Amino acid sequence: MAAGANACAAPGGSAAWIELTVRLALSDAELVADALGALTAGAVALEPRIQTSDERDFAYTVEPGEATVRAFLPAPLAPRERRALRRRLTTLPLRGSLPRLRYRAVENLDWSELWREHFTTLRIGRLVVHPSWEPANEGDALAISLDPGQAFGTGQHPTTRLCLAAIERECAPGDTVLDLGTGSGVLALAAARLGAPRVDALDTDPDAVESTRENVRRNGLEDRVHVARGSLHPERGVVEAYDFVVANISSGVVCELLPAMGRALRPGGRLAVSGFMADRAQEVVAAARGAGLAEVAVEQDEEWCAVVARKASS
Ligand code: SAH
């Protein structure tokens, strides 16, 4: 999902845009990003893959191998124009062949401010997520006051709603929780409000870490939510440390990190992952089963999905 992370200088205005993404070797990605920058009136970002390098403080390094190019092009983009764009990119001196270009319509790119108009109070079971500039109702015991700043996560996105619902249903007071890809911290705060005495909130994006720290302070939950920049190591790292793990990132990152998430869970612990559409759900289900998780189920909100699962008790 476009998480605001690593995002480019987003063009303003409320016009609809087409997001183009393509993942390829870093040197080829640089060529493609440069060419798209010259060809489009929109913005282009180059997002390298990251690799965690330290199991204790979740630090990570940028991987030399592959990167994602993300470009925003003014809509509409007719099939003829898409074909012309592809033809133009195939003339570049790329080392490998040009992979499939993925397109997605984006309504509104000026997310730094315009999202505020769409951020209204949200209720999920006992949880109430409200914008920091609107007061909570008295009596909303489980209220979360949020200002996402530049980070992703007002609670309005279907994937966030799915994760909030899973947390509300499954998180018991006393559970220790890992929120991987915390964004604004919304899921970590929800778990803490529901009684988790310790929530580790991790994100690779420094803006997200900053937003989460502010939101944790705003909600007076500094003693419960621990925020750090980083991620889980795909192969090493924490073992049987959490009762609940949530990650709302993307099917690619989720599939890659599911074995690590499985290891990080205590026996009997539960997991909820999201950040993907229905067409990727079975891939994530398979990755969850491959990671040794049981009771794997798919939940859906609009065209978005979450996969929930449990680690066997012994
Ligand atoms: N949890 C929030 C935000 C989800 S957006 C919500 O549910 O609304 C996904 C977040 O994951 C972004 O902030 C992004 O920076 C972060 N992210 C992406 N890849 C990651 C990785 N490998 N490890 C940890 N965080 C990652």
Side-chain angles (χ1 to χ4, degrees):
M1 87 180 40
N6 300 327
C8 31
S14 57
W17 295 80
I18 302 290
E19 182 194 57
L20 178 166
T21 50
V22 56
R23 187 160 145 179
L24 60 192
L26 189 56
S27 57
D28 285 353
E30 281 164 358
L31 285 174
V32 168
D34 282 350
L36 285 171
L39 285 171
T40 73
V44 181
L46 185 64
E47 299 169 6
R49 268 167 66 90
I50 59 123
Q51 177 69 267
T52 45
S53 56
D54 186 311
E55 55 203 82
R56 277 175 301 116
D57 68 2
F58 304 107
Y60 69 94
T61 51
V62 169
E63 255 195 10
E66 275 198 319
T68 299
V69 179
R70 193 183 301 279
F72 294 96
L73 314 164
L77 197 64
R80 183 175 38 81
E81 293 173 280
R82 296 182 189 198
R83 283 195 297 274
L85 196 59
R86 184 172 178 91
R87 270 200 304 279
R88 171 73 187 82
L89 294 179
T90 50
T91 64
L92 295 171
L94 302 179
R95 289 202 193 160
S97 58
L98 184 69
R100 192 171 138 218
L101 307 178
R102 294 174 186 277
Y103 293 98
R104 189 174 74 94
V106 179
E107 271 312 302
N108 196 332
L109 261 188
D110 197 0
W111 51 64
S112 60
E113 282 305 321
L114 285 172
W115 57 265
R116 283 175 187 267
E117 292 168 20
H118 303 288
F119 183 12
T120 52
T121 298
L122 170 82
R123 287 171 189 275
I124 301 270
R126 294 162 291 160
L127 292 166
V128 179
V129 182
H130 67 92
S132 59
W133 53 96
E134 280 177 18
N137 282 335
E138 282 180 38
D140 284 341
L142 298 183
I144 297 160
S145 170
L146 208 70
D147 184 340
Q150 296 296 319
F152 182 96
T154 56
Q156 313 290 311
H157 196 272
T159 58
T160 312
R161 292 201 303 254
L162 284 163
C163 292
L164 282 170
I167 290 170
E168 203 268 339
R169 197 179 58 226
E170 311 240 346
C171 255
D175 277 357
T176 52
V177 177
L178 171 65
D179 174 14
L180 196 57
T182 194
S184 63
V186 56
L187 304 179
L189 290 165
R193 270 282 183 266
L194 286 161
R198 175 161 186 129
V199 185
D200 288 337
L202 301 183
D203 205 295
T204 47
D205 175 13
D207 286 340
V209 169
E210 191 185 319
S211 297
T212 298
R213 288 212 169 107
E214 260 168 45
N215 284 318
V216 168
R217 262 196 303 275
R218 199 188 310 281
N219 288 276
L221 288 167
E222 298 95 318
D223 55 333
R224 292 174 176 231
V225 184
H226 302 261
V227 190
R229 186 172 177 203
S231 187
L232 276 185
H233 190 285
E235 279 136 34
R236 302 192 301 271
V238 280
V239 176
E240 297 191 0
Y242 300 102
D243 301 298
F244 192 90
V245 173
V246 63
N248 180 18
I249 306 182
S250 66
S251 59
V253 174
V254 160
C255 287
E256 188 185 338
L257 293 180
L258 260 166
M261 290 189 244
R263 274 194 303 279
L265 277 176
R266 295 210 173 98
R270 285 128 302 127
L271 164 133
V273 290
S274 189
F276 43 88
M277 291 186 152
D279 60 343
R280 310 313 286 261
Q282 285 316 312
E283 196 183 308
V284 179
V285 165
R289 294 212 172 102
L293 297 167
E295 296 177 36
V296 182
V298 178
E299 292 169 6
Q300 190 158 350
D301 185 340
E302 297 174 10
E303 70 272 41
W304 296 90
C305 281
V307 167
V308 294
R310 177 183 292 274
K311 184 162 169 173
S313 291
S314 55

